[in-house]
Amino acid sequence: MSMSDSDTSSQGSEYKNFRQISRDRLLYEMLRSAKTGDSKSSWKVLIMDKITVKIMSYACKMADITEEGVSLVEDIHKRRQPLPSMDAIYFIQPTKENIVIFLSDMSGKSPLYRKAFIFFSSPVSRELVAQIKKDGSVLSRIGALREMNLEYFAIDSQGFITDNERALEDLFGDEESSRRGDACLNVMGSRIATVFASLREFPYVRYRAAKSLDPNTMTTFRDLIPTKLAASVWNNLMKYKANLPNFPQLETCELLILDRSIDQIAPIIHEWTYDAMCHDLLNMDGNKYIHEVPSKTGGRPEKKEVLLEDHDPIWLELRHAHIADASERLHEKMTNFVSKNKAAQIHGSRSGGELSTRDLQKMVQALPQYSEQIEKLSLHVDIAGKINKIIRESGLKDVGQLEQDLVFGDAGTKDIINFLRTKEDVSREYKLRLLMIYAAVYPEKFDDDKISKLMELAKLTPDDATAVYNMRLLESSSDPKKSSLAPFSLKFDAHKKKHAARKDRAGEEVTWQLSRFYPVIEELVEKLSKGELPRNDFPCMNEPSPTIHGSSHALTARSGSMPAPHSKRSRRTATWARPRNSDDGYSSDSILRHASSSDFKKMGQRIFVFIVGGATRSELRACHKLSTKLQREIVLGSSSLDDPPQFITKLKLLNANELSLDDLQI
């Protein structure tokens, strides 16, 4: 069963989103295709390694796999019980170790399984294929030997990771580890390329150029991260273009490769959506949330593990909503439910409209037909209640306001000093994040000792101080005066007081507090979509590069086309809750979930954005928002998806050996 271009590319007749295609390929092209004539009715064993099991678990549910005839899932590296009457499907990486285990399973007089269907997650070498074919007893037992070219993790309907959790450490840390860095980028490049092989898409490959390609400046390994990754992806794509049936020969989509230096603030600032707040404030384990429900026997509350994922319609509707808006909508849902059900009114009346979990439990007993609906509502009412309590008790609104004012140039050093002196009870983590944002907005303050004095005032630990100092490792090493990424305001606006890392976006009204911040990729993707992304700063692998010192007429005409690191901006007032009809990207999921089939036909070519060093939930939200706005599916990829606590932990691990000892004295 081969896939034609129209099955998956963004020009096809039936439009499926990124994760749907990944899921369908695993279920139908792999599992279902193993149902050969003589084994259609029999159950099979699915054998995977530690990478492929993660690929499968992100894209499919266990029920989906069972429906395709799999009764048992096994780990290739563990001892397994012989099942000689059953067929086995191997979904594995094409490594020597995996092949040796496979041959051991299937060779000799008593193989573990009757027949083996082998699917590799990425291209397999000729040497390994020859090794398999060498053993005659194994060869006769092979039902299929194929490359799935699917070695990425679909974490969202429009998002994937390559699972390079240590990318930040390997690539942005010690300069001497370039061999480790190259190895990391090669794995990443190979996995990104499988996204395009899987979707049968051939992209224009754009990347952030190294800014210090200048005779007077030494180019560092970090400068070249996007360039090296683009080359790795391109080399893999050329192999697919030459060897993979039905792989497009002309470009069908766009890929933009960036790294974490383009936006140091997005991974640290508080993002006020329901999804981001859950993961930032509630100590969740991945998407798992521990929900306490009243015991049916009236004893202690029972702990129940729930997954906050796409199968939950309330989560899907509210995850990109501002927390205040999500809380309001949940209250409305509960009020509407109670007003329509007399039994619910009886149990809800005594608390004046505010329902406790005990009331909800009684409702479930009185209205068993609505139990699932009430349980889902009560889960989200509980979560939103916990988040709002943390916001209230920790003074997070004040912290959030100062964070955004710093980013937009409405607050400076004096405001930080005043905050640290007057808000001593604010948590150390919040102070750390404030100072990391300050370091990103004012990198020059490292030189005049200002940041170390602020850290003293904030009573940060040496460990926290490391995180602040390591923000320097994420700085783009370009000279901002020479870069078109920093419009001329740097030279000519020196006398002005504004010092901002963002400017408010024209035509996008902010309707409530703490939602002004937007990630840099939002502007970059819009410019890419309009064909306005400067080619000097973002060259394309598919065509000859412009000369390093060559001028771009398009660029000079649009000197302000990129987010300005230092800019004037106008102030708009905002409220905590928003009108229902405002479209600011904090609403529910993108057009891809709600559109009719006629809308799909109007969708333009896909845009893929890949960020080396970890992506954020605000960036994922921006991609959903832009899919609706641009009528193109925007897919976000990264080495990992990091919430602020994880990102800060990773930043502390970076080796800051290029800083002098004097720098590190606090």
Side-chain angles (χ1 to χ4, degrees):
M1 174 180 169
S2 69
M3 300 189 75
S4 69
D5 297 356
S6 61
D7 282 334
T8 57
S9 79
S10 39
Q11 304 309 299
S13 53
E14 187 198 346
Y15 200 100
K16 288 182 177 176
N17 75 32
F18 167 74
R19 184 152 63 180
Q20 282 172 323
I21 294 167
S22 309
R23 174 183 175 273
D24 287 0
R25 288 200 65 222
L26 290 167
L27 293 179
Y28 310 137
E29 193 180 336
M30 186 173 78
L31 300 185
R32 190 172 289 181
S33 71
K35 289 184 178 179
T36 52
D38 61 340
S39 66
K40 271 186 183 167
S41 59
S42 62
W43 290 95
K44 292 182 181 57
V45 186
L46 174 60
I47 297 150
M48 297 183 279
D49 58 37
K50 67 178 192 303
I51 291 292
T52 54
V53 78
K54 281 178 83 170
I55 293 168
M56 187 64 93
S57 64
Y58 275 116
C60 311
K61 295 190 186 74
M62 195 61 212
D64 299 329
I65 297 167
T66 307
E67 206 168 296
E68 293 306 321
V70 172
S71 61
L72 185 62
V73 176
E74 296 263 42
D75 180 342
I76 192 168
H77 297 293
K78 290 185 178 166
R79 285 191 64 165
R80 283 161 281 126
Q81 178 191 347
L83 297 164
S85 63
M86 289 179 80
D87 290 347
I89 299 168
Y90 285 79
F91 178 37
I92 52 176
Q93 289 181 287
T95 64
K96 194 169 185 179
E97 186 188 5
N98 282 347
I99 300 301
V100 167
I101 296 171
F102 163 72
L103 290 172
S104 160
D105 287 352
M106 296 304 294
S107 62
K109 290 181 180 173
S110 48
L112 289 189
Y113 312 106
R114 190 173 74 108
K115 217 175 183 70
F117 297 82
I118 311 146
F119 298 90
F120 293 114
S121 57
S122 56
V124 60
S125 70
R126 285 178 183 173
E127 293 77 26
L128 290 178
V129 173
Q131 199 177 335
I132 293 169
K133 287 182 173 175
K134 218 163 44 180
D135 191 323
S137 67
V138 172
L139 208 54
S140 62
R141 293 166 185 150
I142 292 176
L145 184 68
R146 294 187 47 196
E147 293 170 343
M148 283 300 287
N149 297 318
L150 203 161
E151 202 170 284
Y152 55 87
F153 308 83
I155 54 165
D156 183 83
S157 59
Q158 287 169 239
F160 72 93
I161 56 171
T162 55
D163 203 35
N164 298 93
E165 280 292 337
R166 296 186 64 168
L168 207 65
E169 192 182 339
D170 289 348
L171 300 169
F172 291 88
D174 184 355
E175 283 290 346
E176 299 306 309
S177 64
S178 61
R179 191 186 301 168
R180 199 172 64 184
D182 283 334
C184 173
L185 288 174
N186 285 337
V187 170
M188 214 180 283
S190 160
R191 288 181 181 172
I192 293 167
T194 70
V195 170
F196 298 98
S198 191
L199 271 65
R200 296 299 193 271
E201 293 266 29
F202 177 38
Y204 284 102
V205 180
R206 304 278 299 271
Y207 59 96
R208 180 188 65 75
K211 284 295 155 195
S212 56
L213 292 178
D214 173 320
N216 307 316
T217 319
M218 191 180 80
T219 305
T220 65
F221 180 84
R222 283 198 297 273
D223 285 336
L224 294 168
I225 289 169
T227 311
K228 282 172 171 274
L229 182 58
S232 172
V233 171
W234 183 256
N235 290 339
N236 283 292
L237 288 173
M238 288 303 97
K239 289 175 194 164
Y240 286 133
K241 194 178 176 189
N243 304 317
L244 194 63
N246 302 315
F247 192 79
Q249 297 301 298
L250 296 173
E251 289 82 356
T252 60
C253 63
E254 294 178 274
L255 165 65
L256 177 61
I257 295 175
L258 308 165
D259 66 15
R260 202 56 274 167
S261 70
I262 58 124
D263 189 349
Q264 303 165 57
I265 296 166
I268 296 152
I269 196 167
H270 283 91
E271 160 85 346
W272 290 79
T273 58
Y274 186 46
D275 178 7
M277 288 265 130
C278 284
H279 288 89
D280 193 353
L281 303 182
L282 297 182
N283 297 323
M284 287 172 57
D285 174 15
N287 291 332
K288 287 179 200 160
Y289 173 74
I290 307 298
H291 179 42
E292 286 196 352
V293 291
S295 144
K296 285 170 187 169
T297 56
R300 279 184 171 185
E302 294 169 10
K303 289 190 174 179
K304 189 177 174 187
E305 195 177 89
V306 288
L307 287 173
L308 300 180
E309 287 178 344
D310 290 10
H311 56 77
D312 176 346
I314 299 177
W315 172 253
L316 208 53
E317 180 193 336
L318 299 179
R319 66 178 185 153
H320 293 151
H322 186 283
I323 181 61
D325 183 37
S327 305
E328 254 183 47
R329 287 201 229 174
L330 283 167
H331 180 72
E332 278 174 25
K333 283 178 190 293
M334 195 55 94
T335 308
N336 288 344
F337 180 80
V338 170
S339 67
K340 286 174 189 168
N341 290 282
K342 285 184 180 175
Q345 286 168 26
I346 294 162
H347 296 291
S349 58
R350 65 179 178 81
S351 47
E354 285 297 319
L355 296 166
S356 69
T357 22
R358 176 66 62 195
D359 294 329
L360 292 165
Q361 184 64 42
K362 286 181 179 172
M363 268 195 223
V364 170
Q365 289 162 355
L367 301 159
Q369 69 273 38
Y370 296 115
S371 65
E372 195 181 338
Q373 196 181 343
I374 297 167
E375 277 171 13
K376 282 265 189 290
L377 263 176
S378 71
L379 164 69
H380 291 286
V381 167
D382 176 52
I383 293 173
K386 275 189 184 164
I387 291 170
N388 284 316
K389 187 172 183 239
I390 292 168
I391 291 169
R392 216 169 35 246
E393 292 178 356
S394 65
L396 189 51
K397 270 197 213 176
D398 291 338
V399 176
Q401 190 63 58
L402 183 51
E403 286 177 348
Q404 305 232 351
D405 287 347
L406 271 174
V407 171
F408 283 88
D410 291 328
T413 311
K414 283 180 183 173
D415 303 275
I416 285 268
I417 292 169
N418 184 47
F419 183 87
L420 293 174
R421 281 184 176 151
T422 57
K423 307 268 185 186
E424 288 189 13
D425 54 337
V426 163
S427 79
R428 204 183 79 223
E429 186 212 329
Y430 292 174
K431 289 176 185 173
L432 169 61
R433 284 165 73 168
L434 262 176
L435 289 180
M436 289 172 83
I437 291 166
Y438 178 83
V441 178
Y442 295 92
E444 70 279 6
K445 299 290 185 185
F446 279 114
D447 301 329
D448 64 10
D449 218 22
K450 184 72 78 183
I451 286 178
S452 62
K453 284 176 180 149
L454 287 173
M455 289 194 286
E456 242 174 69
L457 183 60
K459 298 185 174 73
L460 294 191
T461 64
D463 195 35
D464 289 344
T466 302
V468 179
Y469 279 117
N470 282 355
M471 290 295 282
R472 296 172 79 173
L473 299 176
L474 298 184
E475 272 180 48
S476 184
S477 62
S478 59
D479 177 354
K481 290 173 193 153
K482 292 176 189 163
S483 165
S484 61
L485 297 189
F488 299 118
S489 54
L490 263 182
K491 281 184 183 173
F492 303 132
D493 294 357
H495 64 283
K496 296 182 181 176
K497 287 183 182 175
K498 283 288 177 198
H499 193 115
R502 296 285 190 288
K503 58 180 179 179
D504 279 323
R505 305 203 61 195
E508 293 213 10
E509 192 181 347
V510 176
T511 45
W512 25 291
Q513 279 180 315
L514 308 173
S515 64
R516 290 162 72 200
F517 179 80
Y518 59 91
V520 166
I521 68 158
E522 193 168 320
E523 218 154 33
L524 293 180
V525 169
E526 280 208 67
K527 292 198 177 303
L528 178 66
S529 186
K530 291 174 188 168
E532 293 175 3
L533 204 57
R535 292 202 173 245
N536 273 11
D537 296 313
F538 299 95
C540 185
M541 293 292 291
N542 308 49
E543 59 196 41
S545 303
T547 58
I548 292 163
H549 300 291
S551 65
S552 161
H553 296 296
L555 178 58
T556 40
R558 289 185 301 269
S559 61
S561 66
M562 299 292 298
H566 299 70
S567 61
K568 284 292 263 179
R569 46 154 303 283
S570 59
R571 176 79 169 163
R572 296 195 198 94
T573 53
T575 54
W576 179 241
R578 74 166 176 83
R580 281 285 178 273
N581 58 358
S582 84
D583 178 25
D584 46 21
Y586 286 81
S587 54
S588 56
D589 230 310
S590 76
I591 190 172
L592 297 170
R593 194 165 294 283
H594 302 295
S596 65
S597 55
S598 61
D599 289 325
F600 286 144
K601 287 173 187 168
K602 296 175 201 160
M603 292 293 280
Q605 295 184 333
R606 287 187 180 97
I607 292 177
F608 295 82
V609 190
F610 191 88
I611 302 172
V612 183
T616 70
R617 290 178 198 278
S618 62
E619 287 160 337
L620 192 54
R621 173 180 61 79
C623 290
H624 280 274
K625 170 187 172 180
L626 289 173
S627 295
T628 308
K629 186 174 180 179
L630 304 175
Q631 294 276 301
R632 299 176 69 172
E633 185 181 3
I634 316 294
V635 178
L636 177 68
S638 185
S639 43
S640 56
L641 182 71
D642 295 328
D643 296 303
Q646 290 132 288
F647 184 80
I648 292 166
T649 301
K650 288 180 180 181
L651 206 56
K652 287 176 181 179
L653 295 172
L654 292 192
N655 185 346
N657 70 339
E658 56 186 58
L659 304 177
S660 72
L661 287 172
D662 293 338
D663 285 331
L664 290 170
Q665 284 173 5
I666 300 162

